[in-house]
Amino acid sequence: MIHAVLERLKPYVIGLLTYTPAAARYRIPRTGGTDDPDYCYGVFLRHLVHRHRAGLAGIPEVVAELGPGDSLGTGLAWLIAGAQRYLAFDVRRYATTERNLMIFDALVERFRARAPAPGRDAFPEMKPDLPSTSFPSAVLGDAHLEDVLAPERLRRIRESLLTLEGSIAYIVPWDDAANVREGSVDLIFSQAVMEHVEEVDHVYAVCRRWLKRGGMLSHQIDFRSHGTAPTWDGYRAYSELEWRVVRGRRDYLINRVSDAGHLEAIERHGLRAVTKIPSLSEPTVAPGRYAPRFRSLSEASQRTSGLFVQAVLD
């Protein structure tokens, strides 16, 4: 009983701690994941394979990533695979040159070996699932790989990684990206990022402006509590006042926007969803305990703890 009470109070205590100078570490959430080349490789393959299954063949020329985190590894995988330019947008500079170089070299070896995608045994939380973990030779054939893995091409990417010029741009904070040309990006992707952005509608509007006709958004979104409640959907019971306490002074946390909210914003900005793969979990909050902002959630949204969505600009 005491343990359950303490667990219920913990999010409030941490939120209040963010107002104290001694607890600055609580104000900047950890990113995680992209310091591992296998993680970056697995995320890349998931977005690539599902993009291909949605009918977009080949490798996009210009790729943008929202929230790369601890490294630029997933974007580097797109460059290695044949993309010509990679734009990385983040709210804070987490990635370091040393880590980027290590992951780049490790990724090159995985492409050369035609390594399979890491499965659930390696990354149980990585989504979406793949129809097969085998290397996608139908998308990345031998002739294509021979071209993109040419030593001179890899040398140029590595040089860009050292200078963050040429084929790579690392733009922090991302709001300074006003110089991105309208209609210049083929693919915008993110992995467990869109649940953290404060102004969801604004981000989709910007993505719409950047995308070329025929371009694609590809986002894996996590609707779980991220430590803000003892259960995956517990934050849906918080009043607005309780949420302000739990959130505290953190630079970002979660935005509490549901799957329906994301899909509505995507459609509102003229994008057409072509892939929707939900992750389902049993709700732990009774509908009668939902805070007012969540009382209109459909039964499907109540059970949706994650969503992989791809949308195109026709």
Side-chain angles (χ1 to χ4, degrees):
M1 175 67 73
I2 293 176
H3 177 73
V5 171
L6 291 175
E7 283 297 303
R8 193 163 63 250
L9 292 176
K10 183 179 176 180
Y12 298 94
V13 173
I14 293 176
L16 290 170
L17 281 172
T18 64
Y19 290 97
T20 65
R25 68 189 182 93
Y26 289 111
R27 293 202 290 269
I28 305 173
R30 295 179 65 249
T31 59
T34 63
D35 57 354
D36 185 330
D38 284 324
Y39 177 88
C40 297
Y41 185 66
V43 169
F44 157 74
L45 286 175
R46 281 158 174 77
H47 287 268
L48 171 74
V49 168
H50 284 288
R51 180 179 183 274
H52 184 74
R53 287 166 63 87
L56 276 72
I59 302 298
E61 181 179 337
V62 180
V63 174
E65 180 177 12
L66 306 181
D70 291 331
S71 85
L72 307 183
T74 309
L76 293 175
W78 282 103
L79 284 175
I80 294 167
Q84 300 302 305
R85 184 158 171 74
Y86 165 55
L87 311 173
F89 301 98
D90 220 331
V91 295
R92 189 179 296 271
R93 188 174 290 268
Y94 295 102
T96 65
T97 300
E98 181 181 21
R99 187 182 299 123
N100 288 335
L101 290 170
M102 178 275 291
I103 289 177
F104 175 76
D105 292 339
L107 287 170
V108 168
E109 292 310 309
R110 282 155 180 74
F111 278 91
R112 284 176 173 155
R114 279 64 164 173
R120 283 187 172 268
D121 54 336
F123 298 103
E125 295 293 314
M126 187 180 289
K127 295 181 176 64
D129 287 334
L130 287 168
S132 169
T133 58
S134 299
F135 185 80
S137 299
V139 188
L140 300 171
D142 287 341
H144 175 80
L145 286 174
E146 184 176 352
D147 289 339
V148 299
L149 296 177
E152 178 59 24
R153 182 176 183 275
L154 295 177
R155 184 191 63 77
R156 290 196 301 270
I157 296 174
R158 211 171 193 278
E159 286 182 356
S160 292
L161 190 53
L162 287 168
T163 62
L164 295 180
E165 296 177 352
S167 61
I168 300 173
Y170 187 21
I171 303 167
V172 178
W174 87 275
D175 301 273
D176 290 345
N179 59 343
V180 177
R181 208 162 32 84
E182 183 174 345
S184 63
V185 180
D186 298 283
L187 172 70
I188 302 171
F189 78 95
S190 71
Q191 187 77 11
V193 168
M194 287 300 294
E195 68 268 25
H196 296 294
V197 302
E198 285 299 311
E199 299 180 5
V200 170
D201 193 74
H202 172 67
V203 173
Y204 282 119
V206 171
C207 289
R208 162 66 177 81
R209 189 167 69 245
W210 288 346
L211 277 180
K212 295 178 183 177
R213 290 286 172 186
M216 170 179 271
L217 296 182
S218 188
H219 297 308
Q220 174 65 44
I221 311 169
D222 186 354
F223 303 118
R224 294 175 299 178
S225 290
H226 290 70
T228 64
T231 61
W232 78 266
D233 59 346
Y235 62 86
R236 291 175 174 170
Y238 293 151
S239 67
E240 295 306 308
L241 176 59
E242 287 176 300
W243 180 247
R244 284 199 294 273
V245 173
V246 170
R247 191 189 188 287
R249 290 182 61 198
R250 281 174 274 209
D251 287 359
Y252 58 88
L253 191 53
I254 54 173
N255 52 40
R256 301 198 298 167
V257 177
S258 70
D259 63 316
H262 284 271
L263 292 170
E264 287 166 7
I266 286 170
E267 181 178 348
R268 186 161 54 248
H269 292 290
L271 297 152
R272 176 173 57 89
V274 293
T275 304
K276 291 184 282 188
I277 304 176
S279 303
L280 302 178
S281 301
E282 284 303 311
T284 70
V285 178
R289 291 186 55 237
Y290 279 139
R293 68 177 292 175
F294 297 109
R295 288 175 188 166
S296 62
L297 285 180
S298 67
E299 288 188 14
S301 287
Q302 290 173 26
R303 299 176 61 233
T304 301
S305 56
L307 177 69
F308 178 68
V309 58
Q310 293 180 315
V312 297
L313 179 60
D314 291 322

